[in-house]
Amino acid sequence: MGWRGILGFEYGIVQAPLGADISGPELVAAVANAGGLGFLRAPDWESPDYLKELIRKTRSLTKKPFGVGVVLAFPHEKNIQAILDEKVAVLQVYWGECSEELVLKAHQSGVKIVPQVGSLEEAKKAIHAGVDAIIVQGHEAGGHVIGQDALISLLPKVVDLVGDRDIPLIAAGGIVDARGYVAALALGAQGICLGTRFLATEESHAHPAYKRKVVEYDATEYTDVFGRARWPDAPHRVLHTPFFNDCKYIPADQNEAGQPVIGCAIIHDREIEIHRLAGVVPNATTTGDIESMVMYAGQSVGLIKEILPAGEVVKRLVEGAQLLIKNKFSDIL
């Protein structure tokens, strides 16, 4: 199964489902072909036929298994049914209850289910529901972050909670290189989940300017100013761009509703107008004032120095972690 494999995959490397459609078939297939677990991101609206097409396109690019991520805060029942009908290897869910009924339904379809949690209480519920693995997300993560605890404190608590149960734990939040991988293993994880690092890859569907800023910037901030109308009470970590610096103190009663349109994009199967302060990141189709759009990123963004092929990211993580353990820690054993 390879070094640190999880859930039947060769390596313990997971590419997060990057919204809204940043992790498309090209990125997911590249990660899968390199031995990792890649996740498509389902639309935040019901579009089961389109989602099936997305899954089938990914299958045309790889013979290896992959997954689909679903945000439970948005309409999702038909999308989940499409995922189960297609018998995708793994269903990842976030920002909502991963119920026993959902777990049973996935298992009856032969699909593994992996929730992402941000607290010990969420982890307890996931274990009780009978999930196949758990992604433990620390406060350092980019994008929408549900928890308040840092990964270094939350992960060991969940490790102790899981005990000897056969539930692999996958660490997420601020991990971009082999050092983070080894640190996560030391804390008790069996794998790592990376978002920002895979955003800055050749196969990512992010806008080129967004990718460049992930390489150029080294600071992020946890905020709630973007997308308040569409997704209320959903704080997020973003790049500290000049635009964000200008708008981060807007009053709590202001949101993207009524703000001017600053661009447009084709996101999944819809053409979307992007308003100022919207929570929509620029993808490869986006036109308009890119500099004034939200750009999610994790706290370790300053460690990303170049845009790489996704397969090379997986290779460097695995080989780097192996080398680090051999050269730095073998004498301790």
Side-chain angles (χ1 to χ4, degrees):
M1 187 164 57
W3 192 71
R4 291 289 175 184
I6 51 172
L7 295 173
F9 292 82
E10 188 174 355
Y11 301 125
I13 311 293
V14 178
Q15 164 254 303
L18 301 167
D21 64 349
I22 302 301
S23 56
E26 292 78 13
L27 175 57
V28 172
V31 172
N33 288 333
L37 168 56
F39 281 111
L40 296 167
R41 167 71 181 273
D44 292 337
W45 51 85
E46 298 282 30
S47 189
D49 292 337
Y50 167 80
L51 184 53
K52 288 183 178 181
E53 291 178 8
L54 202 65
I55 292 166
R56 291 166 187 172
K57 181 177 180 180
T58 308
R59 284 184 171 142
S60 74
L61 300 174
T62 182
K63 301 301 181 184
K64 295 190 176 183
F66 56 90
V68 182
V70 176
V71 176
L72 299 177
F74 298 110
H76 59 267
E77 291 186 5
K78 293 179 182 178
N79 287 342
I80 286 180
Q81 188 58 56
I83 293 165
L84 302 185
D85 289 345
E86 288 293 312
K87 298 190 182 300
V88 174
V90 184
L91 166 63
Q92 189 259 18
V93 294
Y94 185 40
W95 215 282
E97 183 183 358
C98 181
S99 65
E100 292 181 66
E101 292 77 14
L102 179 56
V103 172
L104 178 61
K105 188 175 181 181
H107 288 169
Q108 287 175 337
S109 297
V111 176
K112 295 176 180 178
I113 184 165
V114 178
Q116 179 167 279
V117 306
S119 68
L120 198 61
E121 187 58 37
E122 279 189 294
K124 289 178 182 177
K125 292 179 181 179
I127 293 168
H128 180 73
V131 300
D132 297 284
I134 300 173
I135 298 174
V136 181
Q137 184 195 51
H139 191 65
E140 306 92 330
H144 291 84
V145 184
I146 201 168
Q148 295 298 312
D149 292 336
L151 184 64
I152 197 170
S153 60
L154 177 60
L155 180 55
K157 293 176 186 176
V158 180
V159 169
D160 292 345
L161 181 67
V162 168
D164 59 1
R165 298 178 181 89
D166 185 21
I167 303 177
L169 298 180
I170 303 161
I175 301 172
V176 299
D177 60 18
R179 293 171 295 181
Y181 193 177
V182 174
L185 296 177
L187 292 171
Q190 286 77 48
I192 54 172
C193 180
L194 303 90
T196 311
R197 173 61 273 192
F198 281 113
L199 187 153
T201 58
E202 293 178 1
E203 297 89 349
S204 158
H205 194 49
H207 193 280
Y210 186 7
K211 296 183 188 184
R212 288 195 300 271
K213 291 186 185 301
V214 166
V215 173
E216 294 168 2
Y217 281 64
D218 60 5
T220 66
E221 191 159 331
Y222 188 67
T223 183
D224 72 342
V225 302
F226 296 103
R228 287 173 174 171
R230 178 174 172 271
W231 193 355
D233 302 315
H236 35 270
R237 184 173 299 282
V238 303
L239 281 177
H240 203 291
T241 62
F243 172 71
F244 170 71
N245 195 55
D246 290 342
C247 70
K248 65 180 180 178
Y249 296 116
I250 64 168
D253 61 349
Q254 291 188 21
N255 56 49
E256 69 272 29
Q259 293 285 330
V261 173
I262 60 171
C264 62
I266 298 172
I267 299 176
H268 288 304
D269 58 344
R270 292 186 177 181
E271 186 169 346
I272 304 289
E273 288 187 336
I274 301 174
H275 291 254
R276 185 177 182 272
L277 301 181
V280 180
V281 296
N283 69 15
T285 72
T286 305
T287 58
D289 185 5
I290 306 297
E291 299 289 327
S292 298
M293 296 179 188
V294 64
M295 297 184 183
Y296 302 126
Q299 229 172 25
S300 294
V301 66
L303 298 174
I304 299 173
K305 304 300 184 183
E306 57 186 329
I307 298 169
L308 295 169
E312 182 65 19
V313 171
V314 174
K315 180 182 178 182
R316 291 189 185 188
L317 285 165
V318 173
E319 293 181 353
Q322 289 174 322
L323 190 64
L324 189 58
I325 290 173
K326 179 181 177 182
N327 291 346
K328 296 289 187 180
F329 304 114
S330 59
D331 291 342
I332 299 174
L333 302 176

